[in-house]
């Protein structure tokens, strides 16, 4: 019996262990390589690496939900019906979002100690909503849209908090642009891995990508709570209050209870004491109303430029999706044409993120001006010479421009906006960019399916962005900044 165990048990076990090690080796090697990349240049010690991993999980979950919604809203019906469904999706989800999004920033300003909990709550919210959508995703009923709105709001709430957290986890050897690029690149890589996984899950049934998203978001909730405690530090912060005059200073918001001075003994009725208190109250009450102009010229013009780029992204997303279903690229099927444009846009986004990570220029303003001008040039050329190559080129340039423009905008907000109002600045900028994307997408849905006309319209609103933003960006770049730590 001992010989039998030796002959069968020992070699078989050793062989099984060898096979197991051989199968685990590529996975272990890849995991070590990813961990080494995310922890480089002090990111592991500061906690930035954990934020990169968290954002990768967030992006993978969003991609799984996008696949589930796209299969219901867009691909499962004819083109005319799909245009109606997409327009309904924009109206039901995006219109309320524009009303809810401005509340996100001030609400998070009231929770300066709860950023980790806020991100975890956003993940758990999407778990619940994804489970809610599993019953409606197969039929595409109206009950699907309120849940999709909730997923969108939770996703944007996470994005606002994440943007405000990056400066708190910034290593000494990494600039804001590079840190933002690393976080975004991690999200893009996770999106690329989640796309085929979602497509495979969809083959099992329309609800399976949502089940996969639930698992991913549960992991994201755990990672949110494992971020460093520095994320929840509220030192130097107060309720956000952005003023309309650029030369006014940001001031912390005083508590609601009035700070009435206590008169000195024997002088309880001294009118001079009460006169001084009334003057201080009058000064406080004259503080400017909230607005975006005090964030500085660089941030203001960067917002204008990014709004034009985000309009281009929304426009191309819907216009090309419907155009290529009816008029595919020469010699190609509609599905392959859409795939080529999607790969070009995604590859451009990844390339732009990688360029941002390697960029050593200390002028985010110049970067935004360059990418906006490049996007305009590509759409003008595509309008004049409309063919398959230039349509794919426009998609790629739009991806690069949006990635570099958004990274530079985030860096300008993190650089120029005081920390006590930074969360609100991110929330309001995200709202403006989302509204721009919706506006561009609406134009893309309503426009006749003509390639020359579409590219001409895209060139038109990009030209408006160049006219309003580029000169101001270059002027601000020449004046320089007292915050030299952005590269």
């Amino acid at each position: 019996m001992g010989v039998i165990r030796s002959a069968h048990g020992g070699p078989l076990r050793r062989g099984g262990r060898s096979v197991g090690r051989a199968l685990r080796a590529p996975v272990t090697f890849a995991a070590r390589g990813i961990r080494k990349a995310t922890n480089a240049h002090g990111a592991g010690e500061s906690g930035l690496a954990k934020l990169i991993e968290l954002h990768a999980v967030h992006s993978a979950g969003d991609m799984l939900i996008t696949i589930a919604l796209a299969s219901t809203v867009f691909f499962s019906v004819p083109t005319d019906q799909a245009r109606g469904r997409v327009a309904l999706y924009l109206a039901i989800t995006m219109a309320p979002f524009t009303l809810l999004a401005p509340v996100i920033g001030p609400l998070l300003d009231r929770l300066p100690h709860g950023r980790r909990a806020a991100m975890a709550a956003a993940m758990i919210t999407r778990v619940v909503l994804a489970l809610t959508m599993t019953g409606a995703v197969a039929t595409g009923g109206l009950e699907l849209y309120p849940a999709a709105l909730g997923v969108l709001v939770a996703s944007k709430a996470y994005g606002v908090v994440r943007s405000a957290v990056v400066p708190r986890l910034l290593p000494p050897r990494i600039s804001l642009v590079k840190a933002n690029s690393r976080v975004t690149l991690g999200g893009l890589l996770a999106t690329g891995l989640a796309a085929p996984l979602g497509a495979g899950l969809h083959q099992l049934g329309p609800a399976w990508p949502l089940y996969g998203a639930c698992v991913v978001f549960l992991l994201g909730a755990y990672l949110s709570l494992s971020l460093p405690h520095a994320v929840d530090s509220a030192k130097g912060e107060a309720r956000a209050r952005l003023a309309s005059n650029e030369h006014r200073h940001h001031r912390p918001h005083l508590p609601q209870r009035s700070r009435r001075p206590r008169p000195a003994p024997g002088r309880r009725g001294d009118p001079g004491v009460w006169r001084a208190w009334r003057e201080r109250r009058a000064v406080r009450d004259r503080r400017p109303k909230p607005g975006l102009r005090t964030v500085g010229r660089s941030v203001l013009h960067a917002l204008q430029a990014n709004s034009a780029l985000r309009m281009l992204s929304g426009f191309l997303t819907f216009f090309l999706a419907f155009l290529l279903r009816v008029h595919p690229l020469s010699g190609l099927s509609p599905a392959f044409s859409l795939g080529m444009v999607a790969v070009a846009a995604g590859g451009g986004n990844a390339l732009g993120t990688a360029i941002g990570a390697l960029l050593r220029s200390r002028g985010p303003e110049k970067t935004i001006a360059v990418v906006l001008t490049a996007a305009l040039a590509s759409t003008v050329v595509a309008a004049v010479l409309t063919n398959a190559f230039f349509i794919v080129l426009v998609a790629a340039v739009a991806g690069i421009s949006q990635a570099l423009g958004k990274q530079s905008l985030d860096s300008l907000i993190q650089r120029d906006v005081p920390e006590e109002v930074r969360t609100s600045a991110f929330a309001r900028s995200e709202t403006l960019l989302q509204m721009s994307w919706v506006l561009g997408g609406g134009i893309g849905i309503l426009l006749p399916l003509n390639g020359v006309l579409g590219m001409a319209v895209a060139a038109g609103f990009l030209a408006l962005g160049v006219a309003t933003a580029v000169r101001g960006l270059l002027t601000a770049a020449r004046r320089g900044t007292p915050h030299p730590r952005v590269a």
Side-chain angles (χ1 to χ4, degrees):
M1 186 67 68
V3 174
I4 294 176
R5 285 197 301 269
S6 176
H8 295 279
L12 285 176
R13 289 179 180 176
R14 288 195 296 270
R17 286 195 295 269
S18 299
V19 173
R21 285 194 297 269
L23 294 175
R24 288 195 301 269
V27 178
T28 303
F29 179 77
R32 288 177 179 175
I34 294 173
R35 181 57 59 88
K36 182 179 179 180
T38 57
N39 285 265
H41 303 102
E45 293 80 1
S46 71
L48 181 64
K50 290 186 176 181
L51 183 63
I52 295 173
E53 295 168 359
L54 170 62
H55 187 64
V57 170
H58 154 82
S59 301
D62 274 356
M63 172 52 67
L64 293 176
I65 288 185
T66 300
I67 290 174
L69 291 175
S71 62
T72 300
V73 175
F74 181 75
F75 289 106
S76 61
V77 294
T79 301
D80 292 338
Q81 189 177 349
R83 294 181 80 169
R85 282 198 178 191
V86 171
L88 181 63
Y89 173 81
L90 285 177
I92 293 181
T93 60
M94 300 299 182
F97 174 77
T98 59
L99 300 177
L100 293 174
V103 180
I104 295 174
L107 176 63
L108 295 174
D109 284 334
R110 294 177 180 270
L111 303 171
H113 296 286
R115 292 192 180 97
R116 294 184 301 171
M119 287 191 282
M123 297 288 180
I124 296 297
T125 300
R126 282 180 282 178
V127 171
V128 175
L129 293 173
L131 289 174
T132 303
M133 289 191 292
T134 55
V137 72
T139 61
L142 290 178
E143 64 271 18
L144 181 70
Y145 298 99
L149 170 63
V151 170
L152 177 65
V153 172
S155 179
K156 293 303 179 182
Y158 159 83
V160 169
V161 180
R162 189 263 302 170
S163 298
V165 161
V166 171
R168 289 193 170 275
L169 302 179
L170 194 65
R173 290 180 288 171
I174 299 180
S175 66
L176 284 170
V177 172
K178 292 181 180 179
N180 289 325
S181 299
R182 283 194 179 189
V183 174
T184 306
L185 186 58
L188 287 173
L189 292 176
T191 298
L193 294 175
L197 174 62
L201 290 174
H202 182 68
Q203 298 302 315
L204 302 176
W208 278 94
L210 295 174
Y211 293 133
C214 291
V215 176
V216 171
F217 287 136
L218 286 174
L219 175 61
Y222 169 77
L223 293 177
S224 299
L225 297 175
S226 67
L227 289 173
H229 291 283
V231 169
D232 285 337
S233 174
K235 183 179 180 180
E237 294 187 16
R239 186 179 174 186
R241 193 171 182 86
L242 299 177
S244 58
N245 185 350
E246 186 178 4
H247 301 290
R248 300 286 185 95
H249 296 288
H250 297 278
R251 301 176 181 177
H253 181 74
L254 295 177
Q256 294 296 324
R257 183 173 54 86
S258 62
R259 295 182 176 180
R260 176 177 294 188
R262 180 177 297 175
R267 303 180 61 189
R268 189 169 298 276
D270 189 344
V273 175
W274 304 118
R275 186 181 303 110
W277 174 76
R278 286 194 297 269
E279 290 176 355
R280 286 196 295 270
R281 282 295 301 270
V283 170
R284 189 183 69 176
D285 293 340
R286 285 197 301 267
R287 285 181 180 174
K289 296 181 180 180
L292 271 176
R293 294 186 180 278
T294 50
V295 296
R297 292 185 181 276
S298 294
V299 177
L300 182 61
H301 291 304
L303 275 170
Q304 294 170 342
N306 273 270
S307 296
L309 292 173
R310 194 61 66 92
M311 278 188 67
L312 176 65
S313 174
F315 176 81
L316 293 179
T317 298
F318 294 106
F319 180 74
L320 292 183
F322 292 116
L323 176 69
L324 296 179
R325 286 187 68 172
V326 178
H327 306 291
L329 301 179
S330 56
L332 302 176
S333 66
F336 196 80
S337 300
L338 288 171
M340 283 188 61
V341 172
V343 168
N349 207 314
L351 179 59
T353 303
I355 292 173
L358 300 174
L359 201 60
R360 297 187 179 276
S361 170
R362 292 185 176 271
E365 299 93 341
K366 294 181 181 178
T367 301
I368 298 174
V370 168
V371 297
L372 180 60
T373 305
L376 173 61
S378 67
T379 53
V380 169
V381 172
V384 176
L385 304 172
T386 302
N387 57 42
F389 172 77
F390 287 109
I391 288 178
V392 173
L393 177 65
V394 167
V397 172
I400 296 173
S401 302
Q402 182 177 331
L404 282 172
K406 184 61 169 63
Q407 291 169 23
S408 300
L409 171 62
D410 287 350
S411 300
L412 287 172
I413 294 176
Q414 292 161 344
R415 183 193 75 182
D416 293 349
V417 177
E419 189 170 10
E420 64 267 17
V421 294
R422 190 177 292 150
T423 306
S424 282
F426 274 118
R428 296 182 185 189
S429 67
E430 284 291 336
T431 303
L432 178 62
L433 296 182
Q434 190 70 35
M435 290 172 64
S436 301
W437 188 87
V438 172
L439 178 60
I443 295 173
I445 293 173
L446 298 175
L447 206 65
L449 299 179
N450 182 285
V452 176
L453 176 62
M455 294 299 104
V457 170
F461 55 72
L462 285 176
L464 180 61
V466 169
T468 57
V470 167
R471 182 179 178 182
L473 286 169
L474 296 179
T475 301
R478 284 195 298 269
R479 290 178 179 176
T481 173
H483 309 273
R485 201 185 163 214
V486 177

